[in-house]
Amino acid sequence: MSGRIVKVSGPLVVAEGMEDANMADVVRVGKQQLIGEILNMTGGSASIQVYEETSGLGPGAEVTTTGMPLSVELGPGMLEGIYDGIQRPLTEIRKLCGETIARGVQVPALNREKKWDFVPTVQAGDKLSGGDVIGTVQETSAVLHKIMVPPNVAGTVKEIKSGSFTVTETVCVLETAKGEENLTLMQKWPVRVARPYDRKFTPSQPLMTGQRIIDTMFPLAKGGTAAVPGPFGSGKTVVQHQLAKWSDVDIVVYIGCGERGNEMTDVLMEFPELHDPNTGEPLMKRTVLIANTSDMPVAAREASIYTGITIAEYFRDMGYDVAVIADSTSRWAEALREMSGRLEEMPGEEGYPAYLASRLAQFYERAGCVECLGADERRGSLTAIGAVSPPGGDISEPVSQATMRIVKVFWGLDASLAYARHFPAINWLTSYSLYLDTLRGWCDENLGRSFMLNRGRAMALLQKEAELQEIVKLVGQDALSPTDNLTLESAKMIREDFLQQNAFLENDQYSSFDRQARLLELILRYKDLCDAAIARGADIWKLYAIAARAAIGRAKTVPAESYQEVYAQIEADMEQQIEEVAKEAEAE
């Protein structure tokens, strides 16, 4: 089915004679066969967003529909891949076209020539339904790729093969109600349709990131949603790199959506050099990168978010824990605004379309902890973490506000903390997590009831410090009581010795839950002992000067294998030294 262009407005093309086409169909435009997608239909007139540069297109050019919605290819070969917003493999395109992507280039997302060793797990005669695993492929040393029956297919195995196959060769034949169905190592799925699952659970396990301010203060559950808003230079990329490297997930999907070219280049250069702490191999072995820079066509930027989360859902369906890191949803919203303007839709707040909030919700709602389709009762999780880049750091703008209404964790980045070299630069006074209650059971069982109590005490100290700092600005710190001075010192210890981490120090990059709990307990124990000593008349400045106080500051850099013994010794020394100061005061 083909039509003719009657209007070109940037990436928006209007074609007549498209009566038999459908909404969301992928089309090929002009002699160069540019890829596009039908946004809406009015009679035989179709409004098409083109995912490539449209210069040179004019009225009369032919438009042909493929009859299929925008879909991604899912199968072995995606890991370690670098794709653009519509899943075109950038490394393969570079070999074909050089440094610049040629318009209309058609390269399959998955390599059609590489053979994969397929090991079947079913036999002839087995009854299968959507989601059942028919075999496995060792895609990388870190990930076993499970080949599944597509969600909308069910039948009896007529033939199953083993050996080496390309992604397009038949490995299994199913007898279905509609006839025989040939299954390959690859399946296709429309990006704007969420992949189905059996049931969804309330997230109840924390996503361990090794970052103390996240895990202890503002935890994120596996299968949860989080936003990382912050102005330019506040360290969004630093936080995302740490999350990608240290989170206890099996697969990472990083979506660079509309970011500056030099930032995306840094990601593409650094990710292959990052080493997976679990296997010691490059992190790319379990990573998929979607790269869509700000100079690429704006329409493909809008699609990149859906491409990334569909790939993530596919790995979730295998029973893996997957993290999607989108940087940034603000650039995606800007693409949405531009396309909406060209469609002449009624603008909403600040020019964004009225459906901005619902589109954001559709993206984040695809996260979750689910029981996957299939007879083996696999459980998988998809955690969505979206960076937000509000203009001028003003989170009152529509994208930030819409995101905050949807996500349950808000890690508010602060440029002043970043400039002070405090990383992660998450502001503890503006951030929050709504998973504290759902994760309380796990924390009580695995870390003891004291963990959440200590977390509450630490937050109260930080908030009290903010109040006292206002008084200090007016009357000076000397006017405070010894107890208030101790509160300031304790909060400073929590900020500098606990919340601040150094990504370049081997022993401080990652902190286990047990170690976080013990370090926080050590700081609060210092405050309790000092409180008791002050009540006995001890000089507060002598309490600050004890050797154990400095030892607590160095405690976070202690090697992981010996921290328990070191912390126990610091606590014993601290008790002894504070007791000596208190006895000295009583004697005087």
Side-chain angles (χ1 to χ4, degrees), residues 87-197:
Q87 210 203 10
R88 295 184 299 182
L90 295 178
T91 48
E92 297 300 317
I93 290 175
R94 184 183 182 185
K95 293 176 186 175
L96 192 67
C97 307
E99 300 296 328
T100 305
I101 300 176
R103 291 197 299 163
V105 64
Q106 298 185 38
V107 180
L110 300 180
N111 191 320
R112 297 294 196 263
E113 298 176 0
K114 184 174 181 178
K115 288 185 176 288
W116 300 92
D117 293 329
F118 174 72
V119 180
T121 56
V122 295
Q123 302 175 9
D126 289 351
K127 292 186 181 298
L128 302 178
S129 59
D132 284 332
V133 177
I134 62 172
T136 59
V137 167
Q138 191 70 49
E139 182 170 357
T140 68
S141 54
V143 177
L144 183 69
H145 196 112
K146 299 172 184 175
I147 307 301
M148 299 172 289
V149 178
N152 51 0
V153 175
T156 305
V157 178
K158 178 181 179 182
E159 182 185 0
I160 185 76
K161 303 175 183 178
S162 65
S164 296
F165 302 93
T166 64
V167 292
T168 55
E169 291 178 329
T170 299
V171 296
C172 179
V173 179
L174 282 186
E175 290 183 332
T176 70
K178 298 179 181 179
E180 290 188 355
E181 182 87 20
N182 294 327
L183 302 184
T184 65
L185 300 183
M186 175 186 75
Q187 55 179 272
K188 288 191 174 184
W189 192 263
V191 298
R192 300 184 194 278
V193 179
R195 286 179 64 88
Y197 49 82

Side-chain angles (χ1 to χ4, degrees), residues 519-541:
L519 181 57
L520 184 59
E521 185 180 16
L522 199 61
I523 294 171
L524 294 175
R525 178 68 174 152
Y526 170 80
K527 182 184 185 304
D528 291 340
L529 291 172
C530 287
D531 271 330
I534 289 171
R536 294 164 62 183
D539 184 342
I540 190 170
W541 304 109

Side-chain angles (χ1 to χ4, degrees), residues 5-66:
I5 292 176
V6 296
K7 175 186 175 183
V8 179
S9 174
L12 181 73
V13 170
V14 179
E16 298 281 4
M18 304 289 290
E19 287 84 356
D20 293 337
N22 297 307
M23 284 269 291
D25 275 3
V26 170
V27 296
R28 291 288 176 176
V29 181
K31 291 182 179 180
Q32 291 177 306
Q33 295 286 287
L34 307 182
I35 187 169
E37 181 185 13
I38 297 178
L39 291 180
N40 59 40
M41 298 282 299
T42 306
S45 176
S47 295
I48 300 162
Q49 65 173 343
V50 181
Y51 293 125
E52 302 180 69
E53 176 60 46
T54 57
S55 59
L57 272 184
E62 187 178 27
V63 177
T64 307
T65 178
T66 63

Side-chain angles (χ1 to χ4, degrees), residues 263-330:
E263 284 195 2
M264 202 64 228
T265 301
D266 288 342
V267 171
L268 297 178
M269 297 294 288
E270 288 175 23
F271 262 60
E273 294 177 3
L274 293 176
H275 284 275
D276 188 340
N278 299 320
T279 63
E281 296 190 334
L283 188 65
M284 284 295 292
K285 295 281 187 185
R286 58 181 180 93
T287 301
V288 181
L289 290 178
I290 310 290
N292 184 269
T293 56
S294 54
D295 64 333
M296 286 181 170
V298 69
R301 184 190 310 175
E302 190 267 338
S304 63
I305 289 281
Y306 300 107
T307 298
I309 202 158
T310 304
I311 291 171
E313 284 178 329
Y314 175 67
F315 285 107
R316 176 209 67 191
D317 290 346
M318 297 182 199
Y320 289 128
D321 294 320
V322 187
V324 172
I325 299 173
D327 185 14
S328 77
T329 54
S330 293

Side-chain angles (χ1 to χ4, degrees), residues 201-233:
F201 302 98
T202 301
S204 58
Q205 283 194 339
L207 181 78
M208 300 183 193
T209 67
Q211 311 307 299
R212 291 185 287 267
I213 191 167
I214 293 175
D215 291 346
T216 299
M217 298 300 183
F218 310 108
L220 171 61
K222 280 185 180 177
T225 54
V228 192
F232 174 76

